[in-house]
Amino acid sequence: MSGRGRYAKGVEKRAEILRTALDVFAREGYRGTTLREVAERCDLSVAGVMHYFDSREDLLTQVILARDDDTALVPADPGPDDGWHELLATVRRNAERPGLVELFVTLTAAARDTSHPAHDALAARYDRLRAAAVPLLRARRDAGLLPPGADPDALADLVIAVADGAQLQWLVDPARDLSAPLETLAGLLGLEPEPPARSRPVPGQD
C-alpha cells in the first residue's frame, strides 16, 4: 500500500474510532464508558486506539469536537434566525445524550490547565461560536430588532454562557428543561424559539 493509501486508511480509522466513542459515550454515559469497549467495537486493542491520539485526554477532547460536528444542522433554505435555531436544536439533542454533556462539563473544568489538550481546543471552539453568533446579532441590531445600544459581542458571550450554564444545572437536576433558558433568552432578544414553517409549492400550481 502506498504512503497516501496508508494515510487515508489511518484517517478513516481515526474517524471510525471517534464515531464509535461518540455513540458509546452517548449510550453508556461518561463514567460508564471504558476505552476497552470503544477498542473492541473498532476491532482494536486499547493501545491500537491510542495509536491515533496523543493521549486519553486528547481522545476525549476530540469526542466533544465530533459531537459539535455531529449536531451541526445546515438548513437547505437558510433564514435570518437559522443560526439561533441551530443552537437550540443542538441543545435539545444534547438532552438525549447526558454522557456527552457530562464529558463536556468535565473537560471544560480540566481545560483551566493550559497544558491540557482541551484547553486550546475548547478556546478555539468558543471563538468559533462567537464568530457565528456575532454577525447574526449584529444584523438584528442594525435592523432595529434588538434593544437600543445592544452590543453584539457582549450578547454572543451571554448566549454561550446561558447555554453552558443550562448544561451545568441540568446535570445536577435532569428534571429541568435543558433548552428553556435559551428559549427565554430568545424571547428577550426577539428571536423566534422555533423556525417558521416554510411553505412548499403545491404540485400543479405556480
Side-chain angles (χ1 to χ4, degrees):
M1 182 181 295
S2 68
R4 180 177 298 178
R6 286 194 297 271
Y7 175 79
K9 189 172 182 179
V11 170
E12 181 180 342
K13 193 65 178 180
R14 188 177 190 274
E16 177 192 348
I17 293 169
L18 284 176
R19 287 194 303 270
T20 301
L22 191 66
D23 177 65
V24 171
F25 275 102
R27 181 170 46 83
E28 302 292 339
Y30 169 54
R31 299 188 183 281
T33 299
T34 66
L35 293 185
R36 186 175 301 281
E37 180 176 358
V38 174
E40 289 175 353
R41 289 185 51 177
C42 294
D43 295 321
L44 294 170
S45 64
V46 172
V49 167
M50 297 314 302
H51 171 74
Y52 294 91
F53 300 90
D54 294 336
S55 64
R56 180 178 182 274
E57 289 72 24
D58 177 47
L59 169 59
L60 297 179
T61 300
Q62 297 307 317
V63 166
I64 285 301
L65 298 181
R67 179 197 71 161
D68 289 347
D69 292 339
D70 186 50
T71 53
L73 306 175
V74 181
D77 181 21
D81 290 349
D82 279 323
W84 183 260
H85 299 142
E86 257 180 54
L87 178 59
L88 281 176
T90 296
V91 170
R92 288 171 182 144
R93 188 172 180 190
N94 285 343
E96 302 170 4
R97 309 190 293 181
L100 293 175
V101 175
E102 184 180 5
L103 174 59
F104 168 71
V105 170
T106 301
L107 284 178
T108 301
R112 183 175 182 275
D113 179 356
T114 57
S115 67
H116 193 284
H119 177 82
D120 289 343
L122 292 184
R125 175 183 181 273
Y126 281 121
D127 287 342
R128 289 194 301 272
L129 289 174
R130 291 187 191 95
V134 168
L136 167 67
L137 294 164
R138 183 179 294 124
R140 296 191 66 80
R141 181 201 61 188
D142 294 346
L145 299 175
L146 291 179
D151 180 351
D153 292 277
L155 286 177
D157 285 339
L158 177 61
V159 169
I160 296 168
V162 170
D164 284 0
Q167 291 185 85
L168 284 168
Q169 294 181 61
W170 182 72
L171 280 179
V172 175
D173 181 6
R176 298 181 67 88
D177 185 338
L178 183 56
S179 63
L182 276 175
E183 289 168 355
T184 299
L185 184 58
L188 295 174
L189 296 178
L191 291 154
E192 295 185 39
E194 298 287 350
R198 291 176 183 155
S199 60
R200 297 185 177 182
V202 178
Q205 296 184 6
D206 293 333

